[in-house]
Amino acid sequence: MNPFRHLLKAAGAHPPVGTWVVSSNALAAEALGHAGFDWAVLDLEHTTTDLGDLVHLLQAVGNTRMVPVVRLPWNEPVMVKRVLDAGALTVMFPFVQNAEEARRAVAATRYPPEGVRGVMGLSRATRYGTATQALRHANQSVGVIVQIETREALDELEAIATVPGVDAVFVGPADLSASLGHLGEPAHPQVMELLARAVDRCKALGRPVGTMGASAELVAQYRAMGFDFVGVGSDLGLMMRGAQAALSALRTQDTTIVHSVTAGTLTR
């Protein structure tokens, strides 16, 4: 079974928690896996990560229990082919607007006659030709997640989510908020209302739905809505928040010490 499908099936009442890897750094990705995240998006859309970096990220995450999801830069079959040959088993397609785009996404992940994926036997995906059954089972092994990121796409949610081969839907709050005129406000009430309705609609279809937020507090609200999988932050985001919190605490302490000295209250 595809690892991400298995993760969702085994989750029960506790939605798997993931994060984003945007630094292109294999050690950071490996560390996040050991930190205990259930899944992570290795992002090719909004990062400098290239295919060579991706192979190193997949190798690093392979040393952990964290399930990798590769977000493609676009719904483009040549890139899909190369990412799958690099060893990705679950891919996320950004900005899917309608059922036809969802069908194109699925077709790019399938070998003929079910799709248009080109065949390469000596790839990392086939363990360089040693996994003799890899090609035969590839069409069933690859997982497909489609991103819904605009009001127009939400209007087409049922048609997109029910395309054969789509395993899960991911609603992106950042782009959705921008499409609604609330750029930079993913927790705007209108966005939150549409997210909650998207969960209900996907539940009615029996299709898993996920999302992500920058903070644990926001993601807790998503979990309460009923999302089946959630992501929080990113490697760089978590690092920056930790660094800023540490600096803020030290600078506050420094200020307190200075005030104490000025007031003559510092004890030795």
Side-chain angles (χ1 to χ4, degrees), residues 68-256:
V69 175
V70 178
R71 180 162 72 170
L72 296 149
W74 197 242
N75 187 354
E76 197 281 314
V78 173
M79 178 57 72
V80 176
K81 170 176 59 181
R82 299 188 71 190
V83 164
L84 294 177
D85 285 346
L89 283 174
T90 303
V91 287
M92 180 183 287
F93 289 82
F95 211 78
V96 174
Q97 291 286 86
N98 52 56
E100 179 54 35
E101 291 182 4
R103 280 190 285 269
R104 284 209 310 269
V106 173
T109 68
R110 278 15 182 201
Y111 289 123
E114 297 164 36
V116 297
R117 179 182 175 185
V119 180
M120 171 59 177
L122 282 174
S123 67
R124 186 169 182 270
T126 66
R127 300 186 182 179
Y128 312 100
T130 64
T132 56
Q133 300 300 310
L135 293 178
R136 179 174 298 179
H137 300 297
N139 285 0
Q140 292 74 43
S141 300
V142 174
V144 173
I145 303 171
V146 294
Q147 280 194 262
I148 304 293
E149 304 185 79
T150 67
R151 180 60 183 266
E152 292 75 17
L154 273 179
D155 290 343
E156 300 291 325
L157 177 60
E158 282 79 8
I160 293 170
T162 54
V163 167
V166 169
D167 292 291
V169 170
F170 187 95
V171 186
D175 281 297
L176 179 59
S177 65
S179 80
L180 296 169
H182 307 300
L183 180 63
E185 300 181 77
H188 188 279
Q190 185 184 12
V191 179
M192 298 295 278
E193 179 185 355
L194 288 175
L195 289 174
R197 287 168 55 189
V199 170
D200 292 340
R201 293 162 69 188
C202 286
K203 296 288 187 187
L205 298 170
R207 185 71 74 222
V209 58
T211 192
M212 71 91 62
S215 69
E217 293 75 19
L218 182 55
V219 173
Q221 295 181 58
Y222 294 152
R223 293 178 78 169
M225 287 179 186
F227 277 96
D228 298 295
F229 58 104
V230 291
V232 57
S234 67
D235 50 358
L236 288 184
L238 293 167
M239 181 186 74
M240 290 297 291
R241 278 195 292 278
Q244 289 171 326
L247 285 169
S248 177
L250 287 171
R251 286 169 178 159
T252 300
Q253 187 180 62
D254 289 344
T255 302
T256 302

